[in-house]
Amino acid sequence: MTKSKKILFIAPASFPIMGAESIVNAKLLKALAESGYDIDVISKNMKWANYPYQQLNEFGVSLHSLTVIGVENKLNFKTIIWHILAFITFGIVYKGAHWAFLALKKAKQLVENNSYDFVLTKNAPAELIGYYLKRKFGLKWIATWNDPYPTEKYPEPYGQGIKAKVFFGASRLIPIMNDYPDIHVFPSIRLRNYMLQYLNVAIERTCVIPHIVLPMNDLKSTVTHECLKMIHTGNVSSPRNPEPFLHALHLFFIDNPDAFMEIAFMGVLPENFSHLLIKYELTGKIKHLPSMEYTKSLQIVNEYDVAVIIEAPCKEGIFLPTKVSDYMQCKKQICAISPSIGVLHDLFEEGYIRYFAECTDIYAIKQMLNDMYNDYLKGILTTEMPVKKEYTADEIVKMYNDF
């Protein structure tokens, strides 16, 4: 980059880091800042999070400024008024839109005092501020959609699909998405293609930029290989379903009662998880690790051989889970239990994910476990998989340089 770009980065989920969306955004901020970008960030204080916080200074990101806007989320007179003011200001309202109204004052101050190359919006309701700044100041607007948006249009079983009707208060969202962003960014081709079924946006105004894989040269492997160690991090609550994986493990242990294997789940588990462990005779064989700060969670993942991803049974897997780039950073083998048509199966076919099974096929998962354990016994489990070039920090920064 010949000239440092100055950008306004509006991401309610970024700092403090406390979940998947904020991890994605914080990692991108780190890569851009280390490449010379001058960045002002407006974020949100997530008060009711299930994950431990990690602050800006703990993650090693150097920003021009960070403004964290705190809001009340509980229904009361004050939040009702804020939602009404959000509707008056943006012509749109939905649950949580009041943050955009409260953050807009700071955004306008920053725009009036700085010359930005573009404004970059991430998760909702950042798009409301991006729309306002585009309309009022003519700023170049790069809009990011890491998941289907509006949220009603999530695919089944998450949502009602592309034909779902949008909440009436947010009915203007799709026309705004069609007309105002200069560029729409998606993490996967499949998500882009899915959303273009209901957006009227020329493909030339779109760009696919995956979640970033940061270099982790300082993270040394601590694996002793005394047994095959597998770990899953994050959410396995509905509509994700850990039961087929647990059932397959049960069948695997019937055939291999003396197998040396350690399986861990890190994070908040669904209420019925302990019952599933009893049902499949896995009590004592599955370790539960609590949620922890992001960088500490990577250190824990580094102690395992294989990192597991369990996805929901969608007709097509359009999502790129945050865990993919995190596991690649740790240079771990990835075990994807996912739809047979989807992003993770694409990565498997391309040679970037080593183990794959259809998420509803118990016997396919069992066969995958057999293959994995045989690779462990042969001593070839630690063979390092390549990272897809488009996922690397250098390549992703180059794409932002072109905006």
Side-chain angles (χ1 to χ4, degrees):
M1 185 170 58
T2 56
K3 175 182 173 293
S4 174
K5 286 191 174 183
K6 188 169 183 63
I7 63 174
L8 177 57
F9 194 108
I10 305 174
S14 53
F15 292 103
I17 304 173
M18 42 57 65
E21 190 72 30
S22 58
I23 289 168
V24 167
N25 295 335
K27 287 164 65 175
L28 176 59
L29 282 167
K30 186 176 180 71
L32 293 176
E34 290 178 352
S35 297
Y37 277 72
D38 195 11
I39 311 171
D40 292 310
V41 175
I42 301 178
S43 185
K44 177 182 178 182
N45 187 14
M46 303 288 188
K47 293 184 177 180
W48 318 118
N50 289 323
Y51 299 90
Y53 286 3
Q54 187 165 20
Q55 299 292 353
L56 173 68
N57 59 338
E58 299 171 303
F59 196 61
V61 178
S62 179
L63 302 174
H64 182 261
S65 73
L66 169 65
T67 303
V68 179
I69 306 291
V71 296
E72 292 183 35
N73 294 311
K74 294 183 178 180
L75 183 65
N76 55 41
F77 179 76
K78 186 186 295 185
T79 56
I80 290 172
I81 294 298
W82 284 339
H83 278 85
I84 293 171
L85 292 173
F87 182 74
I88 293 170
T89 303
F90 305 111
I92 293 172
V93 71
Y94 52 82
K95 185 178 180 181
H98 63 314
W99 179 87
F101 170 75
L102 295 173
L104 181 61
K105 180 179 179 181
K106 180 63 178 181
K108 289 195 291 186
Q109 289 176 350
L110 288 169
V111 170
E112 289 166 355
N113 294 326
N114 295 276
S115 178
Y116 291 110
D117 290 274
F118 56 84
V119 56
L120 180 62
T121 59
K122 305 298 278 186
N123 54 297
E127 80 287 344
L128 300 182
I129 301 176
Y131 159 60
Y132 184 98
L133 298 179
K134 176 68 178 181
R135 185 183 60 179
K136 183 168 180 66
F137 298 100
L139 268 179
K140 186 175 186 179
W141 176 21
I142 313 298
T144 305
W145 316 107
N146 285 334
D147 295 308
Y149 197 74
T151 54
E152 292 91 337
K153 293 186 177 291
Y154 265 63
E156 296 179 348
Y158 289 95
Q160 302 170 49
I162 60 174
K163 295 183 180 180
K165 292 184 179 180
V166 178
F167 172 64
F168 74 94
S171 58
R172 291 186 61 226
L173 271 176
I174 289 179
I176 286 170
M177 293 166 73
N178 286 336
D179 297 337
Y180 285 88
D182 294 272
I183 299 172
H184 295 261
V185 174
F186 307 89
S188 75
I189 292 173
R190 289 186 181 274
L191 177 57
R192 177 180 69 180
N193 293 346
Y194 179 87
M195 289 182 63
L196 289 187
Q197 292 180 75
Y198 59 84
L199 292 179
N200 184 22
V201 174
I203 200 163
E204 292 78 16
R205 286 172 55 207
T206 71
C207 185
V208 175
I209 305 180
H211 303 326
I212 197 165
V213 177
L214 294 176
M216 298 280 289
N217 297 327
D218 59 332
L219 195 61
K220 304 300 181 183
S221 178
T222 58
V223 174
T224 60
H225 307 295
E226 294 174 352
C227 66
L228 170 57
K229 299 180 67 175
M230 304 169 60
I231 187 168
H232 181 284
T233 63
N235 187 8
V236 286
S237 298
S238 180
R240 300 172 186 88
N241 183 9
E243 185 166 6
F245 176 63
L246 298 177
H247 190 171
L249 276 172
H250 170 69
L251 297 177
F252 172 84
F253 281 118
I254 289 175
D255 290 348
N256 304 274
D258 298 322
F260 293 100
M261 187 181 291
E262 177 185 315
I263 307 104
F265 281 77
M266 180 193 298
V268 179
L269 296 176
E271 291 183 4
N272 70 331
F273 196 84
S274 59
H275 298 291
L276 292 175
L277 296 186
I278 295 171
K279 178 179 178 179
Y280 294 112
E281 300 176 315
L282 294 171
T283 303
K285 294 180 179 178
I286 302 285
K287 181 187 295 186
H288 178 211
L289 304 175
S291 302
M292 57 190 67
E293 294 175 354
Y294 174 62
T295 52
K296 187 174 181 181
S297 73
L298 294 183
Q299 293 169 357
I300 298 297
V301 169
N302 191 50
E303 298 174 3
Y304 286 77
D305 301 292
V306 177
V308 181
I309 298 173
I310 298 174
E311 287 201 289
C314 298
K315 183 177 179 181
E316 177 187 7
I318 61 174
F319 301 96
L320 175 61
T322 308
K323 290 188 282 288
V324 171
S325 61
D326 289 341
Y327 293 166
M328 287 181 174
Q329 279 182 207
C330 295
K331 301 178 180 179
K332 297 301 169 186
Q333 298 294 354
I334 295 175
C335 162
I337 301 167
S338 177
S340 57
I341 299 173
V343 175
L344 297 194
H345 190 260
D346 295 339
L347 290 171
F348 170 71
E349 290 286 318
E350 293 165 1
Y352 299 106
I353 286 179
R354 185 160 176 180
Y355 302 105
F356 183 92
E358 213 288 327
C359 57
T360 61
D361 189 336
I362 296 163
Y363 295 97
I365 299 171
K366 177 178 177 286
Q367 182 58 51
M368 180 192 65
L369 292 169
N370 285 333
D371 294 341
M372 191 188 307
Y373 193 68
N374 286 333
D375 285 349
Y376 161 72
L377 294 176
K378 294 174 185 175
I380 60 173
L381 190 67
T382 55
T383 304
E384 192 171 311
M385 299 291 282
V387 174
K388 193 170 185 177
K389 185 179 180 181
E390 291 87 344
Y391 286 46
T392 62
D394 288 345
E395 289 299 311
I396 287 175
V397 169
K398 284 180 186 177
M399 298 188 78
Y400 280 95
N401 290 347
D402 292 336
F403 291 156

